[in-house]
Amino acid sequence: MISKQRSYNMSRIKSKDTSIELKVRKYLYHKGYRYQKNVETLPGTPDIYISKYNVAIFINGCFWHHHYNCKYAYIPKTNQEFWINKFNKNMQNDIKHYKQLEQMDIKVIVIWECELKECFDYRMESLLEEIKNDE
């Protein structure tokens, strides 16, 4: 019974247009930033791409992308081997895609779910600084 419930719960989780993505996009739009969303032609399909600044933004869920040392990045008690492999594969893909984007001279910014939950306004202000600053 538990596995059926877990399967159902996991199937309800969206990969695009999540509530935190919508909140970040709305914020950027109101600040005057224009962007493309879920750009499939770029490695990793960034959640937001701002061509004016050549910036790709990933809004990562702490659970799925296994944010290091984060309370939301737990490993489910059942079928742990599956989950550990899944999280490792996700993290390896993230690193690969970030490197590919950087090789294309695209700046990569990662926003974590916990950052938005803990202090949305502060994270958004720092995001604007990251977008504008060339490294």
Side-chain angles (χ1 to χ4, degrees):
M1 184 65 185
I2 293 172
S3 62
K4 286 184 180 180
Q5 182 64 45
R6 165 124 349 151
S7 180
Y8 174 76
N9 290 347
M10 294 302 178
S11 74
R12 309 302 301 156
I13 297 172
K14 300 191 312 185
S15 63
K16 295 180 183 175
D17 297 330
T18 63
S19 59
I20 58 173
E21 285 179 33
L22 295 174
K23 197 171 177 182
V24 171
R25 292 197 316 239
K26 186 175 184 179
Y27 180 91
L28 289 172
Y29 189 85
H30 284 291
K31 291 291 183 179
Y33 289 85
R34 299 302 176 253
Y35 53 81
Q36 295 171 280
K37 60 180 191 158
N38 305 312
V39 183
E40 294 180 5
T41 56
L42 292 175
T45 312
D47 298 308
I48 298 170
Y49 176 67
I50 305 172
S51 58
K52 179 178 180 180
Y53 295 95
N54 206 24
V55 170
I57 301 171
F58 291 89
I59 304 166
N60 287 351
C62 297
F63 175 78
W64 291 108
H65 296 270
H66 220 65
H67 188 199
Y68 180 73
N69 236 3
C70 176
K71 65 182 177 184
Y72 301 113
Y74 64 92
I75 298 171
K77 300 271 186 259
T78 58
N79 207 0
Q80 285 192 332
E81 186 178 330
F82 166 81
W83 287 108
I84 291 169
N85 289 335
K86 174 122 180 100
F87 295 142
N88 285 337
K89 185 178 174 192
N90 287 351
M91 291 186 292
Q92 289 169 356
N93 281 335
D94 289 343
I95 292 167
K96 179 181 80 173
H97 294 137
Y98 301 159
K99 286 180 180 176
Q100 288 172 336
L101 288 164
E102 288 167 355
Q103 288 171 350
M104 298 166 69
D105 289 326
I106 296 173
K107 184 176 183 175
V108 175
I109 300 173
V110 178
I111 300 173
W112 291 99
E113 169 188 18
C114 63
E115 296 174 317
L116 297 174
K117 285 181 176 181
E118 290 168 12
C119 193
F120 180 81
D121 293 331
Y122 175 78
R123 183 59 183 109
M124 289 299 93
E125 289 172 23
S126 61
L127 173 63
L128 297 181
E129 290 298 317
E130 287 178 83
I131 291 170
K132 290 184 226 170
N133 292 336
D134 283 333
E135 290 185 10

